[in-house]
Amino acid sequence: TTFASAETNAVHRQTWGRFGEIRNNIGLYYKELPETVGFASTQSTSTDLIKFLGPHYGFEYWRALDSQYGVQANAHIYLPLMKMKTPNDQALVMTPSYQVGLLGSYRWQPNITALLGYAYRIDQIKYKALPGAVNGDTNNLSIAGHYLNFYLEWDM
């Protein structure tokens, strides 16, 4: 199953020491997560997408190694606030997702920087179950993974 994700953010940069920079990100994100449900009575499965959006916040520390190369450590939190779609059309339950990463950077031009590296991410969502559900009050979905990340930063 293919699922999408998009985010946009603004970054506030603050010099820290001679070669470092603290970056605070804030913005909006959109996420789709696939949920596969099994049916014991028919021995079949069905896959549906959960779609939602909300704000995200990120904290990054970037350190220059020289005039073009650098390294960055980051941590991000994503809060789902608005349901676009759940399989049973019930409301979301606030469940934050997290990401931590380490990237190398290359400055192409004074206002364009490319970053490439590793991230560990936990995407999770909860939504209310239908009244009278056997498995509790909420349906829970969690996907954890190791990712190769590529970012292109453009300073306006």
Side-chain angles (χ1 to χ4, degrees):
T1 300
T2 302
F3 54 101
S5 174
E7 64 184 67
T8 182
N9 65 50
V11 179
H12 177 263
R13 298 177 180 185
Q14 184 177 1
T15 303
W16 198 46
R18 190 168 168 203
F19 300 107
E21 190 173 85
I22 299 289
R23 299 176 180 188
N24 290 292
N25 302 321
I26 192 163
L28 294 173
Y29 78 102
Y30 168 81
K31 173 69 78 177
E32 296 176 352
L33 291 177
E35 181 177 45
T36 301
V37 179
F39 304 97
S41 61
T42 60
Q43 296 183 359
S44 63
T45 60
S46 172
T47 301
D48 205 349
L49 290 176
I50 303 167
K51 301 177 183 182
F52 51 95
L53 56 91
H56 72 86
Y57 171 76
F59 177 82
E60 302 169 350
Y61 173 71
W62 180 81
R63 179 163 169 80
L65 300 175
D66 63 21
S67 63
Q68 285 187 304
Y69 295 96
V71 293
Q72 180 195 93
N74 63 62
H76 297 262
I77 185 169
Y78 300 83
L79 299 171
L81 288 183
M82 184 177 193
K83 170 193 81 155
M84 307 300 284
K85 179 181 182 257
T86 57
N88 63 5
D89 203 33
Q90 296 296 307
L92 293 177
V93 175
M94 177 75 74
T95 312
S97 294
Y98 306 94
Q99 175 179 306
V100 292
L102 185 62
L103 303 122
S105 68
Y106 176 75
R107 189 170 307 234
W108 276 341
Q109 297 178 13
N111 66 333
I112 299 175
T113 303
L115 297 107
L116 178 68
Y118 165 81
Y120 177 73
R121 185 172 180 132
I122 298 174
D123 284 312
Q124 52 191 1
I125 194 72
K126 292 181 182 179
Y127 60 95
K128 292 185 179 184
L130 290 171
V134 176
N135 296 331
D137 295 339
T138 60
N139 294 315
N140 307 315
L141 173 66
S142 181
I143 299 174
H146 303 273
Y147 296 92
L148 176 64
N149 279 358
F150 174 72
Y151 295 103
L152 188 61
E153 291 182 352
W154 175 40
D155 188 7
M156 297 174 76

